[in-house]
Each structure stands twice: as C-alpha cells, then as structure tokens.
Amino acid sequence: MIDPKIPDGELSKKWENFKSSSSLISPSNRRKFRIIVVGTGLAGASAAASLGEQGYNVVAFTYHDSPRRAHSVAAQGGINAAKNYRNDGDSILRLFYDTIKGGDFRSREANVYRLAEISLQIIDHCVALGVPFAREYGGTLDTRSFGGTRVSRTFYARGQTGQQLLLACYSALERQVANGTVKLLPFKEMVDLVVEGNRARGILVRDLLTGRLERYAGDCVILATGGYSNVYYLSTNAKKSNATAIVRAYKRGAGFANPCFTQIHPTCIPRSSETQSKLTLMSESLRNDGRVWVPKDPSMRAKDPREIAEKDRFYYLEEWYPSYGNLTPRDIASRAAKRVCDMGLGVGPLGQAVYLDFADAIKRLGKNVVYERYGNLFEMYQLITGENPWEFPMKIYPAPHYTMGGLWVDYTLMSNVEGLFVIGEANFSDHGANRLGASALMQGLADGFFIIPYSVPNYLASAGKNTLAEDSKIFDFSEKQITNTIKDFLEADGDKTVEEVHRSLGKIMWDKCGMSRSLTGLKEALEEVLVLKEKFKSLIRISTNDERLNDSLEKAMRVKDFIDLAEIMIRDAIERDESCGAHFREEHQTSDGEAIRNDERFAKVQIWFDRGEPALETEDLKFEFVKPSERSYK
Amino acid sequence: MREVTNRSMEIRLKIWRQESPESNGYFEEFLVENISPEASLLEALDSLNERLTLENRRPISFDSDCREGICGTCGFVINGRPHGPFPGVTTCQLHMRMFEKAGLLVLEPFRGGPFKVLKDLIVDRSGLDRIIQAGGFISVSTGSAPEANSILVPKNLAEEAFNAAACIGCGACVAACPNGSAMLFTAAKIKHLNILPQGKAESKKRTKNMLDAMINEGFGACSNHGECETVCPKRISLETINFAFKEGLSS
Ligand SMILES: Cc1cc2nc3c(=O)[nH]c(=O)nc-3n(C[C@H](O)[C@H](O)[C@H](O)COP(=O)(O)OP(=O)(O)OC[C@H]3O[C@@H](n4cnc5c(N)ncnc54)[C@H](O)[C@@H]3O)c2cc1C
Ligand code: FES
C-alpha cells in the first residue's frame, strides 16, 4: 500500500526521467487551478512564487503578519551545494553519499540523489535573486565547511544565511503578489485539512485578528509549515513554530513518518533562568574554528577556563573522533557532550555545558578574520549571556533543533492523501535519522523551487479540475468540530496556564524521548503524555473569552496538537528497537557508547496513521547504490 | 564571568492597553516581582501574562517569534525609544539585568505613518510589505538563472549590499521618525538590490516605484532627521538614505 513511486532507471537518471515523462498543463489553463500553499518560509514562499510564475492561481497562508518572519529567517550557518568551486573533490555523488551516511542509512536513495543534483541550481537561482553571499576577493563565491563532510561546500551570508535566503524568496513571492498570480493571506492559521474521498480538498483557517473561521477550497494543498521541535517546549525554534497543520493532516488520514527522528543540536546557549522561553543556537559553522573541551578533572569545573593548562583540558571530540574532530555530525557531537557532562566534567552553573573555545583561532587568524566570519554570532552570544566570548570560551549545550520526521511523502512529495503535498521541514523526506548541517535550507528550496513546479502540474493534469464548493457538507463538518474545540477552550476553567502544560510536556519529552531513550523511560513517558492528553481541557485556563486576537487560545490549540504528536513520537521510539542517527536507544550501544543499528529489522520508514488508535505501517528502504556500513567518524 | 545567582529583581511596567483598533487606549501599571536578571524583558512579560491569566485578567498582547533579533516580529517603544535605550538591539534581545536600576519602564506600541494599533502593543505593519511589492525584488523567474559564478561581485560590494540587506523590517525606523517615514526601510532594499550587478537592470524603475509606494501607503516623506539610524537594531546607516535619494534623482 505504501508506494514511494520512485521512477525507474539508473539513480542518476531518475529525476530526468520523471521530468521528461511528467504531464503538463498548458499555460492558458493554469490559472483555472487553485493551489493552496500553507506556510511561506523558504519552502512555501519558493513554491508559491514558482507556481505563480508558471501562471497558477495560488493562495498562500501564514500565521505571521508577513512572510518575512518565517522561522527560516533564523538559519545562521549556510546552505550546501555540490558546486566543487574549491576543487576539493566535491561532486553530486559525494554530497549524495555524505547525506545518506549522515542520515545513518535511513533515507531514500532516489530522493537524496535528486537533492544533491538540484543543489547546483539553487545557488544559481539565489544569486540571481540578489542574495549577498560571502565572496572571495576576486568576486567569486566563498564557501566553508560543516559537520559530517570533508569538503568545503557550504555557501553563506555572514551568520544570517537563512535571513538572506528567506528575504530572496519573500521578494520573489511579493513580485507574484504584485503580478496578481498569488494571493497572500497573512494572520491566518490553518486549523484543519479538508479531505474527501482520500483527496485533499481545501483547508479551514482561523483568522487570528477577527477569530473567524474561513473556508478555502483548492485543487491541491501544499503544506510548508516547518518542523515540530517545540514539542520539547524549549528548543531553538521560534516561539510560534508549531505542528498544528501536520497534526491536523495526520488526523485526517495522512501518514506521519519517523516522528521520533528529532535532532538535538550540539551548540546552543545553555538555559539560564526558570522563565526561559526558548534556546538560542550558536551556528555549527563555529566548529570550523572553535575547539570543544571540558576540564579533565571535575575539581577544575569552576575554575576560570583561561587558567586551565593545556594538559588539563580534554578535547574530547578531537580525541574520540580524530578524523573529523570538532566537525563530527550533530548527533554524535551532542551525545559526546552529554557523555562528558554525565561523567561529571560539565561546566557552568548546572554542570550542563562544555566550552567552545576560540582562543587558538584568534591567535592563528587574528581577531579581524574571526570577526568577519562569526562577528554577529559573537555579539549574539554576548547579548544573551552577558559574557564576552573574545575573552572567555563560550559555554554551550545541546538543544532540540530540527525534526527529520514529518508527514510521509512519495518521490513527488505527495502524501498518501491525494493532492496533499508536503515540503520543507514539514515532510520526512531526505535526512533519514540525522540531518547534516546546511542541508535543510537546501532541501526546502529544492522542494519549493525545483520539485513542486514539476510534481504539482503532473498531479493536476491527471486529477483534473474538480474544486469542491466551499459550502459543501465536508467543510460544515470540519468547521463544526473546530468551533466546538474553540468553545471548549474558551470555557476551560482549570488552574494552569497553557504555557505551564506545555512546559510539563516538554520536560517529559526532553527527559525521556530526547537525546537518549530507554524502553523503560519511553513507557513512562507514554503514560504521562496520555494523562496530559486526557486531562488537557480540564487543566488549562484561558484568561479571556475573547474570540478575536487571543494568544492563549492560539497556544491552547497548538499545545493540544503537540500532545497528540508527542504520543506518536514516543510510540515510534518504542517501536524502533535500534539506535540510529539521532535516535539513540540505550539498549543498543557499543561499549564506548556508539549507536548500534539493526539494518535487518529497521532499514525502513515507520509510518503512523490515525485509525482511532495510532497504527503503524512501514516502507522498506532499498539500497541499490550504497551499501549501508557502520557509520564511523573516528 | 557570569556568576551562578539566584538573584531576583522587580520592575514596574506601565503598558499601553487597547482592546482593538477601534477602542480607546489607556495605560495600565503592573509590578513584576521575583524575576531573574537573566530573564529577557519578553520573558518578564510572559510571566506577567501567566499571572494575569490565572487571575482571570486580560493578558498583554505583544508579538514576537524568533526571540533572537532576526525576524523583526517584536518591537515596542520603551521609555520613549523604539526597542529601548541600547543601540543595535531588538526588544527581544533586552535582558532584565540591563534594567536593574530602571525602576519603571513605559511600554507603548510602534506608532507612526499608517501603523495602526491592532491590540495593546501589536501594530499593523503591512504597508512595509506593499512597498516591497512595488519593486523590492529582482525579476528573475525560477529556472532562468545563469551559473552562479558567472556573475562576479567584488567582496566589498557584496559586504555593502549585505549591510543594507540586513534590515529585519521591524518598523522601528517608522516609529522613531517625526514624519512617520519608512525611508530607511525603503532605502535599504533599494540599495541592497541596486548596487548588485544582478539588480542593475531594474534599478531606475525599482527606485521610483518603491519611493512612490512609500508615500501612497501613507508614510511620511524623509526630511533627514536621522532618528531612524539611531534606533535601527541592525545599524543601517543614514548614508543608505542618501544613496536612495541619489538613485531617485537619476531615475
Ligand atoms: C536557529 C536555527 C538555525 C538554523 N540554521 C540552519 C542552517 O544554517 N542551514 C540549514 O540548512 N538549516 C538551518 N536550520 C534549519 C532550517 O532553518 C529550517 O529547517 C528551514 O528553514 C525550515 O523551512 P520551512 O520553509 O520548512 O519552514 P519555516 O521557515 O518554519 O516556515 C513555516 C511557515 O509555515 C507557516 N505556518 C506554520 N503552520 C501554519 C498554519 N497552521 N497555518 C498557517 N501558516 C502556518 C509559518 O507562518 C511559516 O510561514 C536552522 C534552524 C534553526 C532553528
Ligand atoms: S522576536 Fe524576532 S526580532 Fe525580536
């Protein structure tokens, strides 16, 4: 039943074959098709702009006041592409292989190969759109290295690559708004997916200013609503990032793939107060020049780090993983940080931090060069912590950051619900059990600029035009359900704020379904989450019964969906009885703490469906080109 | 080095309350106690809101998202100055330790030009998006771009373009300007795109259309007060405006 619809032919010919055999719609007919795009981050804005350029009738939704706010804006480090401008041995094949290996052999070969191929075009297009990428003195593009690779293929715009890419997509989108091909609707939150006959028919939206529920029917629906790291409450994601769109789609029949694959990023600023509302990432690019260490002796933990002699420092990444050193992939670097802290070597007030030290880099390169590369990150660090990273090493600790899991999609990025496409971080596609740095921006733009413009017309050409009337029963049904939920929440009379409940959920997930997971812990977590789920309505209190702009009502609707999602994350982590990538099951590790994969049983995608209870199906992963091997970075 | 502290502080907040665009606004005062100096100002508001919720009082509406100074969602006027008294930062980057001696903070929405209060500290800044629609883009459609390195951009030019492109669209410049002008915002995008070789072809049209749109949206004209530069969290300079003026004259 689960068919990934991978085109025939050799790996390197599949995408070409798909494109040349896909069906098309003639320019004069395109405007008759109404395409709904939910989310205007990198993935959504690039998709909406490209479809608008082709002449489709696009309606784009965001809960932000403007597309320029999407969380993509916060990406710092850069975007990968196999341009090989450095002449250092990069190629499409190498990017493909690094990504497959980085994902611990839990992603689809055909998708990943296509991603590597498209990476070249993305840089071309972004430059043409005016992205001010870093340059060499001769005027050509500069690159740097990221974790899990030995080539320098990451393009960047200071520490604000995501911002610059998002603004480029936003500009392209606004150009189409001006051209009249895209209708942009800000302050609108999708609260339900409308499905009839296993086909996506439209969405139900709540206008965040008026509180009104509105119906939008379309010929297909594209979800580009981002990731779900905020299920942990504290994460590097923006405060409003949420999973409502994908959870509602799951509730209406879409499969949710690998929900337990969540990435914990090794270099974030540690928590500093009880009221902490989110965590801030320090870009992985810092590991190009920064060295990670802790004192060898626990008694030195509180000592001024500058006074700890070289011989008393434990550069654990360099020692444990000599060939990649400080640039090991994220899952490995995060677990290593946890390991040294568990050994009692952690620094900072709670013993929950390690040093990221630039003293050597400053000596070697000079302050100016370091400033040029990381200036804004240093400033950001100083603003948040009040400490000067030019003087003292930074203190960092892992934090939830990215979700590899997401709605299941086939090769064309369509879910099992026909006409429902899912792109960007919201889908599960290309990163397997662990994403390499600088590849989410690449994937979001590959999906939006270069895949959707082929796969959506191909679908529309075969499905034909058949838009549902907005006053049809199925819309009534959905609106009634959501109206009731809102009414319940407005009347809720518990004694906890929604934030409080969200914090408890986050704590359960971080402690028991975070960096390290055990069967016992997961079972406890499941019970606790099920209790939250059952009691949610009676626990919470919404302060005002204002149906209009009402933050606590918005949050309540989002947290309810996070709880549903937490349940399938835990179930997924229980079912996946192996360690792979970011999913570390304590029962499956070597004596020195490395993950042990089980390819025989688990070289597959786990897909969850809502059939009253969560039900599991799987897609087998076939490796025709690479042979899954032990993933070593030693 | 930062010490481990269980220190806490208190602060009085006088906040603009306005239920809806149509209703009249007023100030309301709150005392926030027991807040860590390490908490951010927005986290202090979060905890105030949690308290108000449990007391069945209406929480304060304010907008924010990334909480790290890059999305431009946050922003209000603090003691008379957009984003507060410290240069080069957004509202979400303010920490309570910066206000240990402040005693009272007065928080008001960004007002200026066509910005309209939606609720409490949230304003409608959609006019800025429409200025971008008028020309803040390079007209290149997906699929038609040349090889990236076929366009050489000297390093210093790329840096200069970046400095202008760093604008986060928060609207502090508008709120600071006595004329309610969005000139710094508009000029930043004009400069970012006009100085790059890729953006040259449309530079004249872009400049004219964007400047016209700014006025049509109800923002004031620029008369070089310079307030915008001092509050810009991304330190975009007045020189950017001079550049746009020159481009405007030649178009
Ligand atoms: C701090 C940080 C740094 C990062 N740095 C890098 C990096 O250097 N390189 C890299 O490759 N990746 C990086 N990533 C990851 C990358 O930024 C994200 O994975 C990617 O930007 C996600 O893009 P997106 O378009 O899928 O979603 P987003 O940018 O999150 O956009 C989601 C959109 O959906 C809308 N939306 C969501 N739900 C709804 C709804 N129900 N109704 C209406 N609208 C909705 C939102 O308004 C928004 O417009 C970073 C991530 C973080 C958190
Ligand atoms: S919340 Fe993003 S800039 Fe302040």
Side-chain angles (χ1 to χ4, degrees):
Chain A
M1 180 197 155
I2 301 291
D3 177 8
K5 301 207 189 95
I6 297 167
D8 294 333
E10 269 174 57
L11 188 61
S12 61
K13 298 276 157 47
K14 287 183 192 292
W15 179 230
E16 206 44 55
N17 291 349
F18 175 84
K19 286 197 288 185
S20 46
S21 63
S22 69
S23 315
L24 303 173
I25 292 176
S26 73
S28 59
N29 279 334
R30 292 179 193 165
R31 115 188 95 72
K32 297 179 194 151
F33 289 91
R34 191 193 213 194
I35 300 176
I36 290 178
V37 180
V38 188
T40 51
L42 278 191
S46 56
S50 303
L51 292 167
E53 287 160 8
Q54 292 184 354
Y56 292 95
N57 169 7
V58 180
V59 195
F61 299 82
T62 164
Y63 56 66
H64 287 106
D65 66 332
S66 161
R68 66 182 300 147
R69 316 280 183 221
H71 182 55
S72 295
V73 79
Q76 303 170 347
I79 175 167
N80 288 331
K83 284 283 198 186
N84 194 29
Y85 286 158
R86 292 264 181 176
N87 201 24
D88 62 355
D90 202 5
S91 63
I92 291 175
L93 209 58
R94 198 176 286 276
L95 174 53
F96 158 73
Y97 183 73
D98 285 347
T99 310
I100 289 273
K101 176 181 170 196
D104 215 358
F105 306 95
R106 290 292 173 266
S107 41
R108 255 188 227 141
E109 283 186 336
N111 285 56
V112 176
Y113 192 89
R114 173 179 64 187
L115 176 65
E117 262 180 301
I118 291 175
S119 71
L120 310 181
Q121 284 167 281
I122 295 174
I123 300 301
D124 297 343
H125 189 51
C126 289
V127 166
L129 286 172
V131 172
F133 281 120
R135 299 274 170 171
E136 303 277 8
Y137 283 101
T140 53
L141 290 154
D142 190 15
T143 53
R144 61 187 173 196
S145 307
F146 256 56
T149 66
R150 280 188 280 210
V151 293
S152 176
R153 65 159 75 98
T154 305
F155 295 79
Y156 66 102
R158 285 192 208 155
Q160 283 146 256
T161 316
Q163 180 202 23
Q164 294 308 318
L165 293 174
L166 180 68
L167 292 183
C169 295
Y170 156 75
S171 286
L173 177 65
E174 295 290 8
R175 179 165 80 99
Q176 292 313 306
V177 173
N179 283 347
T181 57
V182 177
K183 190 163 168 201
L184 177 64
L185 300 174
F187 281 125
K188 307 256 188 204
E189 179 145 348
M190 167 183 156
V191 288
D192 208 2
L193 178 73
V194 176
V195 177
E196 192 193 51
N198 195 39
R199 186 164 162 184
R201 298 302 201 153
I203 59 173
L204 189 74
V205 162
R206 181 167 176 272
D207 183 305
L208 299 183
L209 298 179
T210 63
R212 265 197 298 271
L213 294 178
E214 298 168 359
R215 306 168 175 203
Y216 294 90
D219 295 291
C220 72
V221 174
I222 302 174
L223 298 186
T225 51
Y228 54 88
S229 295
N230 277 350
V231 72
Y232 293 100
Y233 186 74
L234 285 181
S235 85
T236 63
N237 285 17
K239 273 299 273 180
K240 298 192 212 189
S241 294
N242 70 81
T244 287
I246 52 178
V247 171
R248 294 309 304 167
Y250 161 74
K251 292 271 164 195
R252 298 296 183 202
F256 204 116
N258 298 335
C260 82
F261 286 170
T262 60
Q263 180 167 75
I264 313 294
H265 196 292
T267 54
C268 304
I269 300 180
R271 205 168 88 112
S272 70
S273 79
E274 283 302 315
T275 48
Q276 188 101 22
S277 59
K278 75 168 297 248
L279 296 168
T280 300
L281 174 80
M282 288 281 103
S283 168
E284 175 157 309
S285 60
L286 291 168
R287 287 197 276 146
N288 264 297
D289 292 305
R291 298 179 68 193
V292 179
W293 64 276
V294 287
K296 277 189 183 152
D297 184 340
S299 68
M300 293 188 180
R301 274 179 33 194
K303 207 169 159 181
D304 182 336
R306 295 169 306 178
E307 279 156 23
I308 299 180
E310 212 39 46
K311 68 169 178 35
D312 295 326
R313 299 176 175 197
F314 183 17
Y315 294 94
Y316 57 90
L317 286 177
E318 295 170 29
E319 261 179 53
W320 287 340
Y321 306 99
S323 72
Y324 283 76
N326 292 296
L327 281 175
T328 53
R330 293 176 176 175
D331 51 339
I332 292 181
S334 288
R335 273 200 299 277
K338 181 173 187 298
R339 229 163 102 198
V340 291
C341 292
D342 290 349
M343 286 156 68
L345 303 176
V347 298
L350 309 167
Q352 295 278 309
V354 300
Y355 290 123
L356 176 63
D357 198 337
F358 287 86
D360 284 352
I362 295 170
K363 238 182 269 159
R364 178 166 45 91
L365 303 165
K367 218 171 156 172
N368 282 345
V369 174
V370 175
Y371 183 83
E372 216 174 75
R373 289 186 190 164
Y374 313 111
N376 73 316
L377 298 172
F378 276 48
E379 278 169 27
M380 194 193 253
Y381 180 85
Q382 185 158 10
L383 262 172
I384 291 175
T385 63
E387 272 179 28
N388 181 355
W390 296 102
E391 289 272 322
F392 299 96
M394 292 181 177
K395 287 204 277 289
I396 52 159
Y397 197 68
H401 174 64
Y402 181 87
T403 49
M404 283 75 70
L407 290 183
W408 182 87
V409 288
D410 64 18
Y411 184 77
T412 73
L413 305 182
M414 187 161 88
S415 101
N416 58 296
V417 174
E418 275 173 41
L420 176 69
F421 292 83
V422 191
I423 61 178
E425 195 174 334
N427 73 21
F428 90 108
S429 63
D430 300 346
H431 308 293
N434 173 58
R435 176 175 71 79
L436 290 183
S439 57
L441 301 178
M442 167 173 75
Q443 181 228 326
L445 292 179
D447 291 0
F449 277 137
F450 296 106
I451 301 174
I452 280 295
Y454 290 90
S455 59
V456 163
N458 183 53
Y459 165 76
L460 293 175
S462 67
K465 206 190 139 41
N466 182 4
T467 334
L468 205 66
E470 281 166 0
D471 59 3
S472 65
K473 282 228 164 52
I474 185 82
F475 271 102
D476 292 345
F477 173 74
S478 156
E479 183 168 332
K480 203 161 155 205
Q481 274 197 348
I482 302 294
T483 309
N484 286 340
T485 308
I486 293 176
K487 194 164 151 275
D488 282 350
F489 286 165
L490 288 175
E491 287 166 0
D493 193 26
D495 57 3
K496 293 195 186 327
T497 62
V498 178
E499 286 291 303
E500 236 176 301
V501 177
H502 193 180
R503 277 194 290 266
S504 346
L505 174 70
K507 183 157 171 24
I508 301 171
M509 296 306 282
W510 175 244
D511 289 346
K512 295 174 182 162
C513 192
M515 242 189 301
S516 166
R517 303 155 176 189
S518 71
L519 187 60
T520 330
L522 288 167
K523 284 187 169 159
E524 286 166 13
L526 185 59
E527 264 173 46
E528 293 167 65
V529 165
L530 290 176
V531 171
L532 273 190
K533 181 172 165 170
E534 182 173 330
K535 289 209 184 137
F536 184 64
K537 257 189 287 187
S538 62
L539 284 176
I540 59 164
R541 169 176 309 198
I542 309 280
S543 53
T544 62
N545 53 8
D546 194 346
E547 282 178 28
R548 295 166 304 164
L549 187 60
N550 183 337
D551 322 350
S552 36
L553 175 62
E554 282 166 32
K555 268 186 214 143
M557 310 215 1
R558 293 170 186 167
V559 172
K560 166 183 69 70
D561 294 330
F562 275 134
I563 295 174
D564 284 342
L565 177 55
E567 179 189 346
I568 55 170
M569 284 172 70
I570 300 169
R571 289 187 191 276
D572 192 47
I574 292 176
E575 285 297 323
R576 193 172 279 280
D577 193 13
E578 65 161 350
S579 293
C580 63
H583 170 65
F584 191 74
R585 279 283 300 268
E586 287 161 13
E587 300 87 347
H588 303 287
Q589 56 179 313
T590 62
S591 55
D592 53 356
E594 301 295 330
I596 302 180
R597 243 178 29 226
N598 182 341
D599 290 338
E600 226 158 86
R601 288 184 57 204
F602 293 105
K604 58 190 186 185
V605 182
Q606 298 195 153
I607 313 160
W608 294 86
F609 293 90
D610 184 27
R611 301 192 176 124
E613 284 286 296
L616 178 65
E617 291 193 28
T618 56
E619 173 199 332
D620 288 334
L621 292 169
K622 296 189 192 75
F623 291 94
E624 289 165 12
F625 199 83
V626 296
K627 206 167 147 290
S629 57
E630 191 201 337
R631 178 168 163 258
S632 169
Y633 292 92
K634 293 209 161 170
Chain B
M1 287 198 56
R2 190 158 50 131
E3 288 302 314
V4 192
T5 57
N6 296 318
R7 272 188 314 134
S8 72
M9 54 182 279
E10 61 171 51
I11 194 143
R12 277 186 309 134
L13 299 173
K14 191 172 153 187
I15 303 175
W16 183 258
R17 308 303 310 264
Q18 185 173 335
E19 287 238 16
S20 68
E22 302 76 35
S23 51
N24 289 327
Y26 55 94
F27 278 106
E28 192 173 353
E29 224 180 280
F30 303 91
L31 180 66
V32 182
E33 292 167 302
N34 271 330
I35 187 89
S36 158
E38 295 308 322
S40 71
L41 173 61
L42 297 189
E43 286 165 356
L45 285 175
D46 289 341
S47 58
L48 172 61
N49 275 347
E50 289 201 56
R51 192 185 91 204
L52 294 177
T53 301
L54 295 177
E55 290 169 359
N56 278 332
R57 293 161 69 193
R58 185 168 74 79
I60 295 132
S61 291
F62 64 94
D63 212 356
S64 78
D65 202 21
C66 75
R67 297 207 172 181
E68 52 190 56
I70 193 71
C71 72
T73 309
C74 70
F76 33 81
V77 174
I78 302 165
N79 289 352
R81 192 178 139 125
H83 293 308
F86 307 98
V89 292
T90 54
T91 302
C92 61
Q93 291 177 300
L94 299 170
H95 282 76
M96 295 314 291
R97 60 175 176 268
M98 300 165 158
F99 299 113
E100 272 183 293
K101 300 209 178 70
L104 173 78
L105 299 180
V106 183
L107 312 183
E108 294 170 85
F110 280 176
R111 298 191 181 89
F115 287 0
K116 150 183 104 179
V117 175
L118 295 171
K119 192 169 184 178
D120 296 343
L121 300 173
I122 305 178
V123 298
D124 174 6
R125 295 171 285 190
S126 57
L128 299 179
D129 287 330
R130 287 186 292 273
I131 297 177
I132 299 295
Q133 281 162 26
F137 46 75
I138 292 173
S139 299
V140 52
S141 294
T142 313
S144 60
E147 208 307 308
N149 261 348
S150 66
I151 308 168
L152 295 181
V153 181
K155 190 176 167 75
N156 58 343
L157 205 62
E159 297 285 327
E160 230 185 300
F162 185 99
N163 289 341
C167 168
I168 57 172
C170 62
C173 49
V174 179
C177 178
N179 306 346
S181 174
M183 191 59 184
L184 193 62
F185 170 86
T186 310
K189 190 49 64 184
I190 291 175
K191 182 167 179 199
H192 159 209
L193 297 176
N194 283 14
I195 64 174
L196 288 174
Q198 306 91 299
K200 280 269 184 292
E202 296 168 285
S203 62
K204 286 198 169 142
K205 190 169 126 203
R206 170 179 309 118
T207 309
K208 180 171 185 322
N209 289 352
M210 289 183 75
L211 291 176
D212 287 352
M214 182 185 89
I215 298 300
N216 292 338
E217 283 297 326
F219 294 99
C222 171
S223 50
N224 257 313
H225 281 274
E227 248 68 285
C228 52
E229 181 187 42
T230 48
V231 302
C232 176
K234 296 297 144 186
R235 300 193 165 101
I236 295 174
S237 72
L238 268 191
E239 190 278 324
T240 316
I241 293 187
N242 295 337
F243 173 90
F245 271 137
K246 276 187 217 134
E247 292 281 291
L249 289 178
S250 66
S251 72

